[in-house]
Amino acid sequence: MCGIIARIGADDGVDRLLGGLERLEYRGYDSAGIAVENGAGLAVQKCSGRVGDLVDSVEDSGVYGGIGIGHTRWSTHGPPTDDNAHPHTGATGEVAVVHNGVIENHAELRDELRDAGHEFTSDTDTEVIPHLFERHLADNDPEEAFRQAVRDLDGSYAIAAMVEGEDAVFAARQGSPLVLGVDDDEYFLASDVPAFLEHTDEVVYFEDDDVGVIRPDDVELSTLDGEAVERSSEVVSWDPDETGKGGYDHYMRKEIENQHVSLANGIEGRVSEEGEEPDLDEFPAGTFSGVERVQFVACGTSFHAAKYGTQLLNKAGVAAQAFRASEYDGSIPVDSDTLVVAVTQSGETADTLAALDRARRASARTVAVTNVMGSTAARTADDALFIRAGPEIGVAATKTFSSQVVALSLLSHRVSLDAAEEGPWDDPAAYYDALEALPNHVESVLDFETAEEVADRFLGSDAFFFIGRGLAYPVAIEGALKFKEITYEHAEGFAAGELKHGPLALVTPRTPVFTVVTGDDDETTVTNAQEAGTRGAPIVAVSPSDHKITDVADAHLPVPDTHPDLVGLLANVQLQLLSYHTADKLGRAIDKPRNLAKSVTVE
């Protein structure tokens, strides 16, 4: 949630700040602002609305400076107004701050500062930080004043701050991501690597309690207590071109189209030469011997991917459950015989990190399945498996879902072979043959898509239902989530057998039912669809062309005939296209759906 950018260099860096904010806008787009040091003091420019509104404002004002900070906001404390936009300044205007996270003791600090004569102009929790910084500046140098201000805070934060007359940015992290970009003659700070990837791919990840002082020619990192620390740099393998639209109207469409590439990357080198089992460098045979149960923790789309992994493990005889990370509390038994798999695209999802922390404190073995090297989840779990999907900018997850499912399929097979001495499939070679053909099958769905026609046919419906059974169920609920995220239309996903236990009362001729079938135990799902059809609901089959569901369907979203455990991923591509075309026809902000942001870093 929210995006931070800072640039530290000798020449004018305003364009780099604004460019970074444009690339971070998926993290929040309620308001935006920058502050720069131009030799005559701090110049602050901010406004409610999109980054484009800020760009227009900056161009009109002529703001310039080599050292600056910027922010694009997703509102937590206070509505999206000019006053609530970051950067925030203190009473004298000599300090400017941008902040991600939540300051839990902001109300007490605000009362204390008000009693000391400070006046506040916003509703945000962030505004206490520059006031604290200024108060401590009265008796300390800027670095020590910043440390003391940070020590006053309870909660989560990634902070970048500037002081008038100082050629430096002061930074701190606790529970919210912050990464340093290193180039030959300039530095960057950001909440996400894509903010500066076109300028440098060398990065240093801040860890909790790190404090940084970044000057044009120097970086000093230390703990909050002032002890110097060394953080090694890494090279990010993402291509800077992946963070652009590449000629597409929307990032989401580009990322749907890019799935065959991300899937190929996720599969490459991860299947044994015999083609019968996973070959994961991170997890050689025997890694998970002794595991008695597996618990997945995840949120949103990642939770739906986790449901996929759960079912594969259960098929192999391994006890597995998927928990919504926000509900993973002390009532759930977890011990040293438990493997806890945290599934998180960004590796920074606050609820998932909290669940991961609980698992670690209970001595469970932990694995992070994530897209981002250097993320908090990757660094705090015992091990990490990267999905290799590349950067995803659209708020609605697309290519990362399919890549998560593939990674979890490989991991689940490895775990089941180690823990139960058998896998989810009687013929694993057939599964892996189909897996290696999956990227080509995705391409064929994209080449011959029918989703736009179906979207047009059912535009204006009262509600949209998605049903499935077995491995089609997580695809159904993911399809419904994608639809509601970007169309703002009422969509619900159900286990097919549950339709008659209440939801059938909502079915009308204006409620299309999208029925996902995979070719594995589909008889009852077809019956469930027919039950809705007899009540007048249009049935849309999402299936291979020769499936019998097409005999009772009013419309069809076809997918190639492949292994039943992979049909769902091809169906998912069709449902993503359905959501995309429907949202486009409704004129929705597809890449920036209302009230949502890409990386949910607050609980």
Side-chain angles (χ1 to χ4, degrees), residues 190-214:
S191 43
D192 267 348
V193 172
F196 55 73
L197 189 56
E198 70 172 275
H199 303 296
T200 180
D201 60 1
E202 184 180 354
V203 302
V204 177
Y205 292 97
F206 275 59
E207 298 189 9
D208 282 351
D209 291 326
D210 278 358
V211 172
V213 182
I214 304 98

Side-chain angles (χ1 to χ4, degrees), residues 432-456:
Y432 283 108
D433 283 345
L435 182 67
E436 295 194 315
L438 183 62
N440 290 335
H441 284 152
V442 169
E443 277 197 282
S444 70
V445 172
L446 295 167
D447 288 342
F448 303 103
E449 65 162 280
T450 57
E452 185 171 8
E453 178 185 336
V454 173
D456 197 49

Side-chain angles (χ1 to χ4, degrees), residues 258-281:
N258 189 242
Q259 279 179 102
H260 67 286
V261 176
S262 58
L263 286 168
N265 290 339
I267 296 167
E268 183 180 8
R270 287 178 163 176
V271 178
S272 67
E273 290 185 7
E274 297 78 15
E276 296 184 349
E277 63 178 332
D279 184 8
L280 302 174
D281 291 340

